[in-house]
């Protein structure tokens, strides 16, 4: 593993020279004067003084060499449409959208909130926002009004961009009513709402003066060119909200220059993808994988990016492989959950299409099990590369890096640290390094490399407290994941150390779900834990204490009450936060000091030993949990 090892060591021991070379992959209008300013730990500023623009690097700079190459191909199995945009088309669409935003008073540093389905206009909106130096915040279209309102109040956007509706599995999901409800709940509502009317919701209502039709605005600004706003490298590019251990989501703040460099470097080094090749990421733009690997990284690289709107089994379980065949996809990025869904289908679909163009299938989002990895690798005849990262990192923390060296892979392992990441495995209590094959907390020595979060939006103190305060002996970034490293240096991820759970690659805070359940009038107290699930990795499981026990006195009443609570969660948080089950108990397992014994509850749900119970206040509480899950 000489090539990888040399490359990795250079990134740590000759950091400034290493990142100066990688920074040459993007265009700077003004060169940086300092590679990394780490004078105020744990805050790192990368490429200090350098000025650039994300949109320019993703779109404008390619016009000279690949203007007629497809930049974005949108395929929707939901509405049975396909649209393709060359780099020149994309330039025109983004400029027009930038002109629209400027006409609505959006300028450098202002926020634009994007609450949209998987449609090309969402890509135009994101690129147009960073083009003019504004900051976008994309909110996943599955979130409910209350969750959207919380994000509106934190980001305080000048403009909100939405659509009349999206579609999932052929079912229309109206977005405009949720948008209206969220704005009514928000303390800092946007001045304007731009609506992409797809003709899916014929009952859509609009508010004159506030709501504006995207097509009408397009006609008004047809052909307009808006110059890029050159911003200093540390200027925020976007805010992306992620769950935490408290009910309030964290606004992960990303810079501009460091992010552009990290993504530009990752395409050849990690994903081994060349300009002009086609890259297919199956994520959603509401998640970090969609930001980084549907939009910015492939476009900065000069690749063609596929944006797919639909399910992996609709119209049939061969749809993804048909896309690989038809568009000569060279690299694909998906999740273990999606492959487990496909594993339930006829394996003949894997052989029906010519996937010979496909060199790699990267999988991330939750731990990858060996049977799933074996099944898809043998079925497709394609290398499967497990990789591990977070919303906070923006690009892979652990991965095989075939663009540097084709290292041997171990099933169940995301291989090694990516260049730039100095990893540590620390004992949970002592903070001391753990030995080979010993479980520890996965940490990263600061400064975090380029592309990682720079802070939490408007909350530097929370950034330090959340991520850099777990250990007294040194200030390291904590991933909140358990891991081991074997004697060959391969890492294995073992799950969360905190109260955040991974549901099909989507991170959800148990506290958020608990707060949504407690919005139901009859809930006195509730505990939510993440429980291992063969398909989704984890699912939320709820244990609730009710105020009026007569309402859950029979199995029939319990079923009806559970249904009501599910509907409450849908309304408060969105269907994404809906627990797999709500079990009714009369008391929750707690220590004598009042702390919930979450790990013991989780262990019982997973049929494991609940561990040390010497501090439990009332053993009967745990017996109720045991009986409920039995």
């Amino acid at each position: 593993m000489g090539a990888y090892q040399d490359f990795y060591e250079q990134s740590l021991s000759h950091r400034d020279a290493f990142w100066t070379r990688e920074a040459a992959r993007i265009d700077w209008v003004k060169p940086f004067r300092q590679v990394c300013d780490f004078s105020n730990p744990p805050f790192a500023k990368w490429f200090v003084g350098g000025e650039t623009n994300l949109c320019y690097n993703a779109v404008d700079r390619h016009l000279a060499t690949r203007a007629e190459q497809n930049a974005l191909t949108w395929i929707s199995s939901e509405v049975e449409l396909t649209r393709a945009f060359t780099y020149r088309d994309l330039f025109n669409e983004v400029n027009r959208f930038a002109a629209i935003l400027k006409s609505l008073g959006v300028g450098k540093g202002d926020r634009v909130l994007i609450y949209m389905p998987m449609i090309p206009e969402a890509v135009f909106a994101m690129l147009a926002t960073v083009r003019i130096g504004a900051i976008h915040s994309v909110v996943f279209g599955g979130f409910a009004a209350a969750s959207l309102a919380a994000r509106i109040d934190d980001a305080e956007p000048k403009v909100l961009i939405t659509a009349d509706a999206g579609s999932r599995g052929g079912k229309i999901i109206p977005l405009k009513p949720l948008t209206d409800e969220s704005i009514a709940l928000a303390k800092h509502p946007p001045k304007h709402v731009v609506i992409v009317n797809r003709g899916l919701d014929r009952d859509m209502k609009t508010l004159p003066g506030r709501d504006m039709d995207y097509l009408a605005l397009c006609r008004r600004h047809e052909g307009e060119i808006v110059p890029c706003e050159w911003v200093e490298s540390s200027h925020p590019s976007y805010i992306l909200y992620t769950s935490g251990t408290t009910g309030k989501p964290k606004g992960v703040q990303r810079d501009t220059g460091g992010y552009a460099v990290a993504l530009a470097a990752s395409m050849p080094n990690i994903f081994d993808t060349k300009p002009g090749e086609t890259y297919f990421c199956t994520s959603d733009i509401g998640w970090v994988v969609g930001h980084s690997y549907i939009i910015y990284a492939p476009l900065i690289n000069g690749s063609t990016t596929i944006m797919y709107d639909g399910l992996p089994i609709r119209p049939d379980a061969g749809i993804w492989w048909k896309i690989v065949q038809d568009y000569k996809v060279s690299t694909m990025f998906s999740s273990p959950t999606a492959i487990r869904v496909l594993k339930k289908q006829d394996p003949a679909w894997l052989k029906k299409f010519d996937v010979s163009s496909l060199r790699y299938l990267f999988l991330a989002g939750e731990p990858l099990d060996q049977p799933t990895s074996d099944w898809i690798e043998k079925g497709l005849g394609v290398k499967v590369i497990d990789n591990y990262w977070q919303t906070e990192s923006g690009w892979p923390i652990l991965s095989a890096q075939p663009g540097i060296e084709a290292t041997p892979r171990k099933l169940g392992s995301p291989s090694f640290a990516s260049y730039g990441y100095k990893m540590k495995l620390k004992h949970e209590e002592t903070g001391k390094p753990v030995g080979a094959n010993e479980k520890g907390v996965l940490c990263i020595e600061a400064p975090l490399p380029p592309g990682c979060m720079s802070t939490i939006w408007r909350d530097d103190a929370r950034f330090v407290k959340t991520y850099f305060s777990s250990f007294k002996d040194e200030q390291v970034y904590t991933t909140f994941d358990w891991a081991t490293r074997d004697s060959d240096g391969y890492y294995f991820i073992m799950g969360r150390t905190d109260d955040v759970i991974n549901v099909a690659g989507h991170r959800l805070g148990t506290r958020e779900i608990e707060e949504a359940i407690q919005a139901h009038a009859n809930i006195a107290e509730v505990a939510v834990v993440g429980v291992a699930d063969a398909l989704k990795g984890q699912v939320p499981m709820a244990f609730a204490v009710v105020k009026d026990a007569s309402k859950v006195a029979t199995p029939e009443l319990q079923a009806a009450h559970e249904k009501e609570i599910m509907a409450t969660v849908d309304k408060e948080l969105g269907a994404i936060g809906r627990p797999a089950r709500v079990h009714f108990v009369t008391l929750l397992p707690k220590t004598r000091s009042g702390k919930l014994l979450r790990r013991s509850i989780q262990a019982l749900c997973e049929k494991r030993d609940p561990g040390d119970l010497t501090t439990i206040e009332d053993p009967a509480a745990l017996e109720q949990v045991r009986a409920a899950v039995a």
Side-chain angles (χ1 to χ4, degrees), residues 294-490:
I294 293 176
I295 302 172
Y296 290 115
L299 293 176
I300 289 169
N301 194 53
S303 298
T304 299
T305 184
I306 303 272
M307 183 186 197
Y308 175 66
D309 174 37
L311 300 174
I313 53 172
R314 178 187 161 92
D316 54 53
I319 180 63
W320 282 0
W321 319 123
K322 185 176 189 306
I323 290 170
V324 169
Q325 170 188 276
D326 292 354
Y327 296 92
K328 300 288 183 284
V329 173
S330 63
T331 309
M332 193 168 162
F333 192 161
S334 192
S335 71
T337 296
I339 303 304
R340 285 193 283 265
V341 167
L342 292 171
K343 200 173 156 192
K344 293 183 172 184
Q345 312 299 313
D346 185 345
W349 287 112
L350 299 180
K351 302 294 184 188
K352 188 171 181 184
F353 299 97
D354 178 5
V355 296
S356 57
S357 63
L358 191 64
R359 296 195 300 272
Y360 306 105
L361 172 61
F362 284 78
L363 297 175
E366 71 268 2
L368 174 62
D369 58 287
Q370 184 171 337
T372 300
S373 183
D374 278 346
W375 180 81
I376 194 69
E377 184 158 326
K378 286 172 185 165
L380 289 179
V382 167
K383 285 180 188 169
V384 169
I385 297 186
D386 186 0
N387 62 119
Y388 161 87
W389 48 299
Q390 301 181 317
T391 303
E392 291 85 348
S393 71
W395 59 288
I397 296 170
L398 304 172
S399 182
Q401 293 144 69
I404 302 164
E405 183 185 359
T407 52
R409 290 162 290 133
K410 287 191 181 184
L411 285 165
S413 170
S415 293
F416 317 108
S418 297
Y419 50 89
Y421 288 99
K422 190 171 185 181
M423 309 306 299
K424 290 194 169 184
L425 275 176
K426 293 170 76 71
H427 188 278
E428 183 187 22
E429 289 167 10
T430 66
K432 289 180 179 173
V434 299
N437 301 308
E438 281 186 56
K439 186 173 84 167
V441 181
L442 188 67
C443 302
I444 307 167
E445 195 172 299
L448 298 179
C452 291
M453 71 186 295
S454 45
T455 188
I456 290 174
W457 174 250
R458 290 177 166 170
D459 203 342
D460 288 352
R462 190 180 180 193
F463 173 68
V464 177
K465 186 175 181 224
T466 300
Y467 296 106
F468 290 91
S469 303
S470 294
F471 297 96
K472 292 185 176 70
D473 63 324
E474 61 177 340
Q475 197 176 50
V476 290
Y477 172 91
T478 307
T479 65
F480 298 104
D481 276 306
W482 295 113
T484 61
R485 184 176 53 236
D486 71 12
S487 54
D488 295 326
Y490 287 78

Side-chain angles (χ1 to χ4, degrees), residues 109-286:
D110 290 331
R111 274 78 62 207
V112 174
L113 196 139
I114 299 168
Y115 183 62
M116 296 181 83
M118 288 281 285
I119 55 176
E121 289 80 6
V123 180
F124 309 157
M126 291 168 74
L127 290 165
T129 302
V130 293
R131 184 176 192 84
I132 61 175
I135 302 163
H136 62 67
S137 184
V138 181
V139 178
F140 174 61
F143 278 120
S147 295
L148 180 55
R151 287 152 174 79
I152 289 171
D153 282 336
D154 197 59
E156 296 186 23
K158 266 195 177 177
V159 171
L160 189 153
I161 304 165
T162 190
D164 61 334
S167 177
R168 186 82 174 159
K171 183 186 175 190
I172 302 300
I173 303 165
L175 293 179
K176 182 59 168 48
L178 285 168
T179 303
D180 292 340
E181 192 183 337
S182 69
I183 290 172
L185 291 169
K187 298 182 186 74
H188 304 284
K191 191 176 178 185
H192 298 291
V193 176
V194 175
I195 306 153
V196 178
N197 190 348
R198 306 173 70 201
L200 297 178
D201 181 7
R202 296 196 180 146
D203 300 322
M204 182 181 72
K205 293 178 174 57
T206 56
L207 186 67
R210 185 197 71 183
D211 295 349
M212 317 193 83
D213 180 67
Y214 174 65
L215 277 181
L217 291 168
C218 282
R219 285 191 289 270
R220 203 177 303 165
H221 296 279
E222 189 65 53
E224 289 188 30
I225 303 296
V226 177
C228 289
E229 179 75 37
W230 301 106
V231 297
E232 201 276 335
S233 181
S234 296
H235 179 78
S237 56
Y238 66 78
I239 308 161
L240 185 57
Y241 289 93
T242 186
S243 291
T245 52
T246 66
K248 186 187 177 190
K250 305 185 295 284
V252 167
Q253 180 177 314
R254 195 84 64 205
D255 71 357
T256 297
Y259 186 55
V261 170
L263 297 188
S266 74
M267 288 300 279
N269 293 332
I270 297 175
F271 296 97
D272 193 20
T273 303
K274 299 172 183 65
E277 292 185 328
T278 301
Y279 191 96
F280 177 21
C281 173
T282 69
S283 184
D284 186 286
I285 56 158

Side-chain angles (χ1 to χ4, degrees), residues 571-583:
K571 183 174 184 297
E572 293 292 317
L573 188 57
I576 189 172
R578 189 187 299 160
R581 286 296 313 274
V582 180
H583 296 289

Side-chain angles (χ1 to χ4, degrees), residues 594-609:
K595 186 182 176 187
L596 266 171
L597 288 164
R598 290 183 191 276
R599 287 188 197 170
S600 297
I601 299 171
Q602 182 189 49
L604 288 180
C605 292
E606 295 177 351
K607 306 290 189 285
R608 294 185 286 106
D609 180 356

